[in-house]
Amino acid sequence: MKTRALLVLMLLVSSVTWSWGADDLKPSDVRIKDALRAVVDAQLNAFRRDDYAGAYVFSDTEFRHQCPLDRFERMVRIGYPAIAHSTSARCGLAFDNGDEATVNVRVFSDGREPVDYQYTLRRDGEIWRITGVTLLKDQTTEV
Amino acid sequence: MRSILAALAALSLTVASSLADEALQKFVYEKAEMGLPFRISLYAKDETTAKAAAEAAYDRIAVLNSILSDYDSDSELSRLSQTSGQGKAVPVSNDLWNVLVKAQEFAARSDGAFDITVGPLVNLWRRARRNHQLPSPEMIAEMKARVGYKNLKLDPEHRTAELLVPEMRLDCGAIAKNYAVDEAQKVLKQRGITCALIGGSGDMTATDAPPGLPGWRIEVAPLDAPGAPPAQIIYLKNYSIATSGDMFQRVEIDGKRYSHIVNPHTGIGLTDHGLVTVVAPDCMTANSLTTSISVLGPERGLKMVEATPGAAAHVERMPGDKVELYESARWKDVPKAEK
């Protein structure tokens, strides 16, 4: 009887979790948002110091397995010049589900228009690590 | 003599109008709502008027977010999704009703290519984008079983909505955002702001043209493919524009590129590389058409556009290694500018 009740409970929990858990990112609370911002800021600071090895450690472990440091440096310098040469950044909307998160970041650099990116992060124990960065750009712009 | 007087009267009207135009200043505001930045450019006689109007518009968007958000589990939309499969016909607010009716109209017209019940599949592909891992065929099949616009039943007499299948999840993301853009523009008009451009994540609606211009100058980014035509600049006046494509929202897995747009019939993110631009009298219509064209393909999609009053579309796609261009008949009438 106990086993049956437990099974029912487990099924119920898994159904509820799945129902809202397929992509259950919710707006992040201040604590999580601060933690995400700290990681993004720390990596941008490392880029500003030209410390690519230092920036690399904020990347997700799986990403580091796939992308060695020299490739990472080339990728940032060529593909993400605003990030490589930023002067400051402002974090905007952040969403998470406890394990995964996204945060929008506006990156400022001297003499250029600010550029918006969406960072994706994954929790690794107590810290968040960056799994990807996507350019956020509208396909239409008022000119 | 009468004609000279008429000419003078016309001249004085023109002068008055241009003097009035000169007195108008441009103000630009940006605020994050519905999980994305909403930008309002407007012309007003002073900052106080402009700011009050923009704040009222943002207030309206915030209210709509509380109704239509699929991120907020307390939103009216989410609460409706939570009743799926329970046999409940749920009374809905006017705003949610307006969105659902429009969505179902386009779902029927596009034979389900545009479908707001696609939520379970969209979530699956959002996760795929984050994890760079394709969803399994079993998972796609499981999610597909929860999708289908015919499983969303609307009762116009009682203004109720019912989700017939368990675990359905409505995703009004784009159409809700564009409804908010349309509604925000109405708020500005009510406050006497007749020259404004409101954009939510690139989809825009404009009222009167800025002083001295034939319309709001909007640059549509080119398709990021070799041989694609350059960016276009179009003039937008009392009209709306929406785009859809995989340029900025996609995932590449095992060398194949998947768009954020999911085909509700196959459950798979679109793999055609393309860019669809639609202008239409309102932003909700423009958006519904871009998605429909993306899923249906240009031939069937453009037929839908031709059958939609006032709508025009331009499609660039690269199914292989060559860029293909398609345009609806009315696209040639859309005012364009040299860059």
Side-chain angles (χ1 to χ4, degrees), chain B residues 260-289:
Chain B
H260 67 295
I261 302 169
V262 181
N263 182 336
H265 298 309
T266 63
I268 308 283
L270 300 184
T271 51
D272 260 15
H273 178 36
L275 172 65
V276 177
T277 307
V278 171
V279 294
D282 64 85
C283 218
M284 265 212 297
T285 299
N287 166 263
S288 308
L289 285 171

Side-chain angles (χ1 to χ4, degrees), chain A residues 18 23 100 139-142, chain B residues 26 41 130 146 202 219 221:
Chain A
W18 178 244
D23 187 77
E100 298 169 316
Q139 277 159 335
T140 55
T141 322
E142 183 197 348
Chain B
K26 186 178 179 183
S41 302
R130 285 205 305 275
R146 302 172 186 180
E219 181 178 297

Side-chain angles (χ1 to χ4, degrees), chain B residues 168-183:
Chain B
M168 286 176 75
R169 187 168 180 180
L170 300 180
D171 181 347
C172 289
I175 193 171
K177 172 199 71 184
N178 289 28
Y179 178 66
V181 167
D182 289 335
E183 288 297 299

Side-chain angles (χ1 to χ4, degrees), chain A residues 15 18-26 93 95 97 100 102 106 122 134-135 137-143, chain B residues 26 30 35 41 71 82 123 126-127 130-131 143 146 167 169 201-202 216-221 243 247-248:
Chain A
S15 134
W18 178 244
S19 173
W20 295 106
D23 187 77
D24 47 357
L25 298 190
K26 304 280 178 208
L93 294 165
F95 295 87
N97 62 7
E100 298 169 316
T102 65
R106 179 161 289 178
R122 186 181 295 142
T134 313
L135 179 69
K137 196 176 182 307
D138 293 335
Q139 277 159 335
T140 55
T141 322
E142 183 197 348
V143 289
Chain B
K26 186 178 179 183
E30 192 175 297
S41 302
Y71 278 110
Q82 287 158 26
N123 289 341
R126 278 185 191 155
R127 177 156 282 192
R130 285 205 305 275
N131 296 336
M143 294 302 110
R146 302 172 186 180
E167 309 291 345
R169 187 168 180 180
S201 198
W216 292 83
R217 280 169 61 93
I218 309 299
E219 181 178 297
V220 182
T243 59
M247 200 183 318
F248 301 112

Side-chain angles (χ1 to χ4, degrees), chain B residues 144-163:
Chain B
K144 258 181 73 181
R146 302 172 186 180
V147 173
Y149 77 94
K150 288 179 182 166
N151 295 323
L152 166 59
K153 194 175 148 194
L154 299 182
D155 178 350
E157 193 185 337
H158 300 99
R159 283 218 164 189
T160 57
E162 182 179 352
L163 301 173

Side-chain angles (χ1 to χ4, degrees), chain A residues 50-102:
Chain A
D50 223 20
D51 177 7
Y52 279 78
Y56 189 57
V57 299
F58 295 104
S59 299
D60 181 54
T61 318
E62 202 174 305
F63 171 84
R64 279 183 279 158
H65 283 145
Q66 292 169 3
C67 182
L69 176 59
D70 56 338
R71 208 169 109 204
F72 171 73
E73 180 169 346
R74 253 196 333 272
M75 183 181 78
V76 176
R77 286 191 191 279
I78 296 167
Y80 299 84
I83 287 177
H85 305 289
S86 76
T87 50
S88 63
R90 199 170 67 222
C91 288
L93 294 165
F95 295 87
D96 75 280
N97 62 7
D99 293 321
E100 298 169 316
T102 65

Side-chain angles (χ1 to χ4, degrees), chain B residues 229-269:
Chain B
Q232 296 191 73
I233 295 180
I234 68 164
Y235 285 114
L236 202 64
K237 180 178 146 188
N238 294 309
Y239 240 66
S240 301
I241 183 169
T243 59
S244 148
D246 61 345
M247 200 183 318
F248 301 112
Q249 293 195 70
R250 62 172 187 245
V251 63
E252 211 164 304
I253 303 170
D254 298 334
K256 204 167 182 181
R257 189 166 161 163
Y258 297 90
S259 161
H260 67 295
I261 302 169
V262 181
N263 182 336
H265 298 309
T266 63
I268 308 283

